[in-house]
Amino acid sequence: MAKGDDAVRRKKNKAQRKKLNRKSDSSTVSARVASIIAAKKRRKAGKRRICQGMCFSLPTPDDPFNERLDKKDVRRREPQKSKPSKLDRKVSAKRKDSVATKGSVLGHNAALKDEQKKSVSLINNMGKSRHIDSGKMEIQQDGKKVGLHGNQEQACKSSDFPSKYLILCLKAIEDTLYPDGTYNGEEGNRLFVNPWGIEFWKCYSAGKDILETSGSSSDFEQIAWIASTAADVISRREKEGHLFTGPFLLFIVPSKEKALKVRSLCKPLKAQGIHTVSLHPGASIDHQINGLQSCEPEFLVSTPERLLELVSLKAIDISVVSMLVIDGMESASGGCYLDTVKSVRQAISGKPHTLVFFNSFNNAYVPAVQSLLTGLVYRLSLNDSVASQSAGIIQSIHVCSSKEERTMKGIQALDNAYSNQIIARHLKVLYVVGKDNNIQKLVSAVKFKGYSISISSYLNSMESGNSLDCGGRMRPTVSIIDTENISCTDLGEYSVVIIPDFVLSIDDYLQILTRMARHTVNGVLHSFLTKDDSWHAGPLIEILEQCGQEVAEELRNL
């Protein structure tokens, strides 16, 4: 039996009163519930969005008043299980530990499936054979948040291989620079399988500063990986709700030409919301000030002199930079360039994640690098040369007249390292002696100066605790090993190595030089020779010249 008009009106008025009551309590409704209510109102009012075009049907002769549409289904619905996308199903079928596509911008791009698989296999296969010493530092699987101004916590969430968004950025750079596909001719040269880029991504993910010692300036592949990694970190942090009030990446270059090259490689990322601005003396400073006022760039590429001018005029704020890349250490301006770079670094607050291209093995640049990288670092190089692997390590070779003088100068070298405030922060000292040498005099001399001793069990089971100096500072423990234990000792943790009696072969000397001080730029290798060791002088001079270090006149005379 049909209802009367009065009953229908009473029911409608009751529903309207309920709606008015709910409006008064709208502040207690969550955003999700409010969106559902708004969508329902639009649907009943006939105002539809594009995605709601088929949300309800039109009246029909069987149901002219659309009464069946408003009938609620009282049956309880089962919760709908989320179904993986086609890309997830295909990737998981090939590899069980594939990355989930939740929140990924590449979930719709099936063209990158093969590239992701190839990059995964390359990363898993290449990480074991590259010349990078990660030491005992491990990447936590759950990742850590990073402050907006620093990198000393986790740089980005840890995973087994780069994200799909990072690969998308690499592909955007590659496709823009080579639209005709010429770069795709050789499969081994694709950007996303570049060996240097993969090693850089691993080092950056570990959250430490990086010293690049290949011996050359940044090239096309390296710039592409740096920019893509920075864009990936920006994307991650924005998803976490972070806001950036200044440039994220600051790329210091020595010249206008280099600035334009870096900007051209970063320009394809504009489609991903990453804006790059280059600052150099080739343009008027007023034009650059107007450009900085009209946009807020995520990447800033600049020469240090022009950047300091703009900072002094308060046209740009670089105090919140999170990633700093320094290129051009061999610049023709020499000391002026390095001093300006130091001033730029002082204008940045906090601890930005720093990458330095140490493309000159000259000892004159070592102090500048030490002032830029004050903490623990990763050494990144795919170059196997002695000069590359030992970059930043000072070789100090002394010629002595007697054995007593060798011992005394060795203790002096130890005292100098301990008194150096920069080196003393992470000071670990190692003495390398001959197996048949009587080390009792050496141990007595070191103990007399207040240092504790740790001797390899192959020599004697002898170890004493740490000691304090008169100022209350903890003196470092001095480790002693013999020449036979060089290959089985972790030399990377020792920043100072002293060879009081040169009983080594040149191969052992090179092994120490290329394996020591892997996590610092303050490494020093002291060697002491007498006239009896003159047959070592020639090879040592050759090594010093190859590494760009000074050769003492007394060593040449020897």
Side-chain angles (χ1 to χ4, degrees):
M1 183 174 178
K3 293 183 180 180
D5 293 342
D6 54 345
V8 174
R9 186 175 296 279
R10 283 196 301 271
K11 185 176 180 180
K12 189 174 182 180
N13 292 339
K14 184 177 180 181
Q16 289 179 350
R17 286 196 301 272
K18 286 184 178 181
K19 288 181 181 179
L20 293 175
N21 292 334
R22 283 199 296 269
K23 285 183 179 179
S24 62
D25 298 335
S26 60
S27 59
T28 60
V29 179
S30 64
R32 179 176 176 275
V33 175
S35 64
I36 295 174
I37 294 174
K40 186 176 180 181
K41 288 180 180 180
R42 287 193 299 271
R43 184 171 66 250
K44 289 192 173 182
K47 298 178 181 179
R48 297 171 291 171
R49 292 181 178 178
I50 297 176
C51 61
Q52 296 175 333
M54 300 303 294
C55 289
F56 61 90
S57 57
L58 297 174
T60 61
D62 296 333
D63 186 18
F65 299 103
N66 265 355
E67 292 178 345
R68 297 178 186 176
L69 183 66
D70 289 334
K71 291 183 179 180
K72 297 182 180 180
D73 188 1
V74 297
R75 292 178 299 177
R76 185 175 180 180
R77 295 182 179 180
E78 294 293 333
Q80 185 177 2
K81 296 182 180 179
S82 58
K83 297 181 181 180
S85 63
K86 295 181 179 180
L87 180 61
D88 287 343
R89 289 197 296 269
K90 292 185 179 181
V91 172
S92 59
K94 294 290 183 181
R95 191 172 185 273
K96 292 183 179 180
D97 59 344
S98 59
V99 170
T101 58
K102 182 180 179 180
S104 173
V105 298
L106 289 184
H108 64 283
N109 196 346
L112 293 178
K113 291 183 294 184
D114 296 335
E115 298 178 3
Q116 179 74 7
K117 296 173 187 175
K118 292 172 185 175
S119 63
V120 170
S121 62
L122 183 74
I123 294 167
N124 292 335
N125 296 333
M126 297 182 64
K128 301 178 181 179
S129 61
R130 294 298 164 193
H131 296 276
I132 174 171
D133 188 357
S134 298
K136 298 180 180 179
M137 303 175 188
E138 297 179 355
I139 302 174
Q140 297 185 8
Q141 292 300 321
D142 54 351
K144 293 181 180 179
K145 289 186 178 181
V146 182
L148 290 178
H149 313 307
N151 73 296
Q152 298 307 313
E153 299 179 9
Q154 201 69 4
C156 56
K157 291 185 178 180
S158 172
S159 59
D160 293 336
F161 48 88
S163 68
K164 294 180 180 179
Y165 181 78
L166 193 152
I167 295 177
L168 174 67
C169 294
L170 291 173
K171 192 172 187 302
I173 296 175
E174 185 177 297
D175 292 345
T176 303
L177 296 180
Y178 300 94
D180 54 352
T182 55
Y183 193 78
N184 302 341
E186 299 182 16
E187 195 66 27
N189 290 336
R190 298 294 296 272
L191 274 180
F192 67 91
V193 293
N194 180 262
W196 186 94
I198 296 169
E199 295 295 352
F200 165 76
W201 178 84
K202 289 180 180 179
C203 295
Y204 187 89
S205 298
K208 301 298 178 182
D209 293 336
I210 302 172
L211 178 65
E212 212 287 335
T213 61
S214 297
S216 60
S217 300
S218 56
D219 57 18
F220 158 67
E221 289 86 359
Q222 292 169 341
I223 296 171
W225 268 92
I226 292 170
S228 300
T229 302
D232 183 45
V233 176
I234 292 174
S235 175
R236 289 174 183 270
R237 293 188 188 179
E238 286 181 343
K239 288 179 182 178
E240 295 172 0
H242 294 308
L243 297 176
F244 298 95
T245 59
F248 177 85
L249 168 64
L250 175 58
F251 205 119
I252 300 296
V253 294
S255 63
K256 167 189 173 182
E257 293 74 20
K258 187 71 174 183
L260 295 177
K261 176 183 178 182
V262 175
R263 183 182 180 276
S264 65
L265 293 175
C266 299
K267 195 173 181 180
L269 298 181
K270 188 174 182 180
Q272 308 299 328
I274 304 297
H275 297 268
T276 306
V277 172
S278 62
L279 306 174
H280 50 77
S284 66
I285 194 168
D286 294 334
H287 174 72
Q288 293 174 347
I289 291 175
N290 294 333
L292 290 172
Q293 291 175 349
S294 62
C295 71
E296 296 181 357
E298 285 76 19
F299 292 174
L300 195 62
V301 185
S302 175
T303 58
E305 297 85 0
R306 178 51 60 92
L307 181 61
L308 284 180
E309 290 183 40
L310 293 169
V311 170
S312 63
L313 296 173
K314 297 184 179 180
I316 185 70
D317 180 19
I318 61 172
S319 61
V320 294
V321 167
S322 298
M323 185 176 180
L324 175 63
V325 180
I326 301 173
D327 196 3
M329 297 294 289
E330 84 297 349
S331 174
S333 55
C336 298
Y337 177 80
L338 297 178
D339 293 339
T340 313
V341 170
K342 292 179 186 178
S343 301
V344 171
R345 175 60 186 88
Q346 292 172 359
I348 302 174
S349 61
K351 294 279 291 182
H353 201 146
T354 307
L355 166 63
V356 176
F357 283 89
F358 191 43
N359 44 18
S360 176
F361 301 133
N362 194 328
N363 250 11
Y365 299 104
V366 173
V369 175
Q370 291 174 348
S371 64
L372 294 170
L373 302 176
T374 56
L376 298 178
V377 302
Y378 278 101
R379 289 174 174 267
L380 174 58
S381 175
L382 301 182
N383 189 345
D384 295 333
S385 67
V386 175
S388 175
Q389 295 297 320
S390 63
I393 298 176
I394 298 176
Q395 303 175 58
S396 180
I397 300 178
H398 312 267
V399 178
C400 306
S401 58
S402 64
K403 293 183 178 180
E404 291 74 14
E405 185 182 357
R406 286 187 309 194
T407 304
M408 181 184 65
K409 286 191 174 182
I411 299 298
Q412 289 178 356
L414 178 58
D415 288 338
N416 292 336
Y418 178 65
S419 61
N420 189 327
Q421 296 296 327
I422 298 178
I423 300 179
R425 294 176 187 173
H426 310 287
L427 180 60
K428 284 192 175 183
V429 183
L430 175 67
Y431 268 84
V432 181
V433 299
K435 185 171 179 60
D436 299 330
N437 284 21
N438 185 0
I439 65 170
Q440 295 303 323
K441 290 184 179 180
L442 174 62
V443 171
S444 301
V446 173
K447 279 190 170 184
F448 180 77
K449 299 294 289 186
Y451 298 96
S452 56
I453 302 293
S454 174
I455 302 180
S456 171
S457 60
Y458 295 95
L459 293 172
N460 288 307
S461 297
M462 181 177 180
E463 184 172 355
S464 59
N466 294 331
S467 58
L468 300 175
D469 61 6
C470 58
R473 287 200 308 166
M474 187 72 68
R475 288 184 177 271
T477 300
V478 179
S479 303
I480 302 178
I481 65 170
D482 62 15
T483 54
E484 292 186 357
N485 296 323
I486 293 175
S487 59
C488 60
T489 302
D490 183 12
L491 301 175
E493 62 182 2
Y494 295 102
S495 56
V496 177
V497 177
I498 300 175
I499 308 173
D501 187 4
F502 205 91
V503 293
L504 301 176
S505 65
I506 294 299
D507 290 339
D508 289 337
Y509 180 83
L510 290 176
Q511 187 178 173
I512 295 173
L513 178 61
T514 56
R515 288 178 53 206
M516 66 174 287
R518 294 297 93 187
H519 302 297
T520 179
V521 292
N522 302 299
V524 184
L525 175 58
H526 294 279
S527 304
F528 299 90
L529 285 73
T530 61
K531 292 182 179 180
D532 297 335
D533 303 316
S534 58
W535 60 286
H536 286 304
L540 288 175
I541 291 174
E542 185 179 348
I543 294 173
L544 289 172
E545 292 177 344
Q546 181 181 353
C547 297
Q549 305 205 13
E550 282 187 36
V551 180
E553 191 63 30
E554 56 185 3
L555 180 60
R556 293 189 184 275
N557 295 335
L558 183 64

PDB file of all heavy atoms in Angstrom, residues 380-394:
ATOM      1  N   LEU A 380      85.029   7.078  -2.585  1.00  0.00           N
ATOM      2  CA  LEU A 380      84.363   6.536  -3.766  1.00  0.00           C
ATOM      3  C   LEU A 380      85.282   6.683  -4.961  1.00  0.00           C
ATOM      4  O   LEU A 380      85.645   7.808  -5.334  1.00  0.00           O
ATOM      5  CB  LEU A 380      83.043   7.261  -4.014  1.00  0.00           C
ATOM      6  CG  LEU A 380      82.282   6.907  -5.292  1.00  0.00           C
ATOM      7  CD1 LEU A 380      81.976   5.419  -5.324  1.00  0.00           C
ATOM      8  CD2 LEU A 380      81.006   7.719  -5.394  1.00  0.00           C
ATOM      9  N   SER A 381      85.683   5.558  -5.542  1.00  0.00           N
ATOM     10  CA  SER A 381      86.536   5.595  -6.723  1.00  0.00           C
ATOM     11  C   SER A 381      86.452   4.254  -7.426  1.00  0.00           C
ATOM     12  O   SER A 381      86.527   3.201  -6.791  1.00  0.00           O
ATOM     13  CB  SER A 381      87.985   5.899  -6.337  1.00  0.00           C
ATOM     14  OG  SER A 381      88.828   5.821  -7.464  1.00  0.00           O
ATOM     15  N   LEU A 382      86.295   4.299  -8.738  1.00  0.00           N
ATOM     16  CA  LEU A 382      86.361   3.097  -9.554  1.00  0.00           C
ATOM     17  C   LEU A 382      87.695   2.999 -10.266  1.00  0.00           C
ATOM     18  O   LEU A 382      87.859   2.192 -11.172  1.00  0.00           O
ATOM     19  CB  LEU A 382      85.214   3.093 -10.567  1.00  0.00           C
ATOM     20  CG  LEU A 382      83.803   3.142  -9.967  1.00  0.00           C
ATOM     21  CD1 LEU A 382      82.760   3.073 -11.064  1.00  0.00           C
ATOM     22  CD2 LEU A 382      83.597   2.030  -8.957  1.00  0.00           C
ATOM     23  N   ASN A 383      88.646   3.831  -9.843  1.00  0.00           N
ATOM     24  CA  ASN A 383      89.985   3.855 -10.408  1.00  0.00           C
ATOM     25  C   ASN A 383      90.912   3.063  -9.490  1.00  0.00           C
ATOM     26  O   ASN A 383      90.989   3.326  -8.287  1.00  0.00           O
ATOM     27  CB  ASN A 383      90.472   5.298 -10.551  1.00  0.00           C
ATOM     28  CG  ASN A 383      91.768   5.393 -11.327  1.00  0.00           C
ATOM     29  OD1 ASN A 383      92.465   4.406 -11.528  1.00  0.00           O
ATOM     30  ND2 ASN A 383      92.106   6.599 -11.763  1.00  0.00           N
ATOM     31  N   ASP A 384      91.633   2.099 -10.043  1.00  0.00           N
ATOM     32  CA  ASP A 384      92.487   1.227  -9.237  1.00  0.00           C
ATOM     33  C   ASP A 384      93.896   1.773  -9.043  1.00  0.00           C
ATOM     34  O   ASP A 384      94.722   1.101  -8.421  1.00  0.00           O
ATOM     35  CB  ASP A 384      92.591  -0.166  -9.891  1.00  0.00           C
ATOM     36  CG  ASP A 384      91.258  -0.877  -9.908  1.00  0.00           C
ATOM     37  OD1 ASP A 384      90.426  -0.583  -9.035  1.00  0.00           O
ATOM     38  OD2 ASP A 384      91.038  -1.714 -10.806  1.00  0.00           O
ATOM     39  N   SER A 385      94.209   2.947  -9.542  1.00  0.00           N
ATOM     40  CA  SER A 385      95.576   3.454  -9.456  1.00  0.00           C
ATOM     41  C   SER A 385      95.940   3.765  -8.012  1.00  0.00           C
ATOM     42  O   SER A 385      95.085   4.026  -7.161  1.00  0.00           O
ATOM     43  CB  SER A 385      95.724   4.708 -10.311  1.00  0.00           C
ATOM     44  OG  SER A 385      94.962   5.769  -9.778  1.00  0.00           O
ATOM     45  N   VAL A 386      97.247   3.750  -7.723  1.00  0.00           N
ATOM     46  CA  VAL A 386      97.739   4.044  -6.382  1.00  0.00           C
ATOM     47  C   VAL A 386      97.382   5.477  -5.997  1.00  0.00           C
ATOM     48  O   VAL A 386      96.977   5.748  -4.859  1.00  0.00           O
ATOM     49  CB  VAL A 386      99.265   3.812  -6.307  1.00  0.00           C
ATOM     50  CG1 VAL A 386      99.811   4.230  -4.951  1.00  0.00           C
ATOM     51  CG2 VAL A 386      99.594   2.355  -6.584  1.00  0.00           C
ATOM     52  N   ALA A 387      97.529   6.406  -6.931  1.00  0.00           N
ATOM     53  CA  ALA A 387      97.224   7.808  -6.638  1.00  0.00           C
ATOM     54  C   ALA A 387      95.759   8.003  -6.276  1.00  0.00           C
ATOM     55  O   ALA A 387      95.428   8.794  -5.387  1.00  0.00           O
ATOM     56  CB  ALA A 387      97.595   8.674  -7.843  1.00  0.00           C
ATOM     57  N   SER A 388      94.863   7.278  -6.931  1.00  0.00           N
ATOM     58  CA  SER A 388      93.437   7.411  -6.640  1.00  0.00           C
ATOM     59  C   SER A 388      93.077   6.795  -5.299  1.00  0.00           C
ATOM     60  O   SER A 388      92.355   7.398  -4.499  1.00  0.00           O
ATOM     61  CB  SER A 388      92.618   6.758  -7.756  1.00  0.00           C
ATOM     62  OG  SER A 388      91.246   6.772  -7.442  1.00  0.00           O
ATOM     63  N   GLN A 389      93.584   5.605  -5.017  1.00  0.00           N
ATOM     64  CA  GLN A 389      93.235   4.914  -3.786  1.00  0.00           C
ATOM     65  C   GLN A 389      93.863   5.565  -2.556  1.00  0.00           C
ATOM     66  O   GLN A 389      93.355   5.401  -1.448  1.00  0.00           O
ATOM     67  CB  GLN A 389      93.672   3.440  -3.875  1.00  0.00           C
ATOM     68  CG  GLN A 389      92.940   2.638  -4.924  1.00  0.00           C
ATOM     69  CD  GLN A 389      91.459   2.536  -4.650  1.00  0.00           C
ATOM     70  OE1 GLN A 389      91.041   2.364  -3.511  1.00  0.00           O
ATOM     71  NE2 GLN A 389      90.650   2.649  -5.691  1.00  0.00           N
ATOM     72  N   SER A 390      94.963   6.294  -2.745  1.00  0.00           N
ATOM     73  CA  SER A 390      95.646   6.921  -1.606  1.00  0.00           C
ATOM     74  C   SER A 390      95.445   8.430  -1.578  1.00  0.00           C
ATOM     75  O   SER A 390      96.194   9.139  -0.892  1.00  0.00           O
ATOM     76  CB  SER A 390      97.143   6.616  -1.653  1.00  0.00           C
ATOM     77  OG  SER A 390      97.739   7.180  -2.816  1.00  0.00           O
ATOM     78  N   ALA A 391      94.493   8.949  -2.308  1.00  0.00           N
ATOM     79  CA  ALA A 391      94.276  10.399  -2.375  1.00  0.00           C
ATOM     80  C   ALA A 391      93.970  10.950  -0.993  1.00  0.00           C
ATOM     81  O   ALA A 391      93.172  10.390  -0.239  1.00  0.00           O
ATOM     82  CB  ALA A 391      93.126  10.703  -3.335  1.00  0.00           C
ATOM     83  N   GLY A 392      94.633  12.048  -0.654  1.00  0.00           N
ATOM     84  CA  GLY A 392      94.417  12.691   0.641  1.00  0.00           C
ATOM     85  C   GLY A 392      95.277  12.149   1.759  1.00  0.00           C
ATOM     86  O   GLY A 392      95.259  12.693   2.863  1.00  0.00           O
ATOM     87  N   ILE A 393      96.024  11.082   1.526  1.00  0.00           N
ATOM     88  CA  ILE A 393      96.915  10.512   2.543  1.00  0.00           C
ATOM     89  C   ILE A 393      98.316  11.090   2.345  1.00  0.00           C
ATOM     90  O   ILE A 393      98.899  10.975   1.260  1.00  0.00           O
ATOM     91  CB  ILE A 393      96.945   8.979   2.460  1.00  0.00           C
ATOM     92  CG1 ILE A 393      95.551   8.412   2.725  1.00  0.00           C
ATOM     93  CG2 ILE A 393      97.962   8.407   3.439  1.00  0.00           C
ATOM     94  CD1 ILE A 393      95.458   6.913   2.577  1.00  0.00           C
ATOM     95  N   ILE A 394      98.846  11.697   3.374  1.00  0.00           N
ATOM     96  CA  ILE A 394     100.166  12.319   3.303  1.00  0.00           C
ATOM     97  C   ILE A 394     101.233  11.269   3.606  1.00  0.00           C
ATOM     98  O   ILE A 394     101.179  10.591   4.641  1.00  0.00           O
ATOM     99  CB  ILE A 394     100.269  13.489   4.289  1.00  0.00           C
ATOM    100  CG1 ILE A 394      99.241  14.562   3.923  1.00  0.00           C
ATOM    101  CG2 ILE A 394     101.675  14.080   4.292  1.00  0.00           C
ATOM    102  CD1 ILE A 394      99.184  15.715   4.897  1.00  0.00           C
TER     103      ILE A 394
END
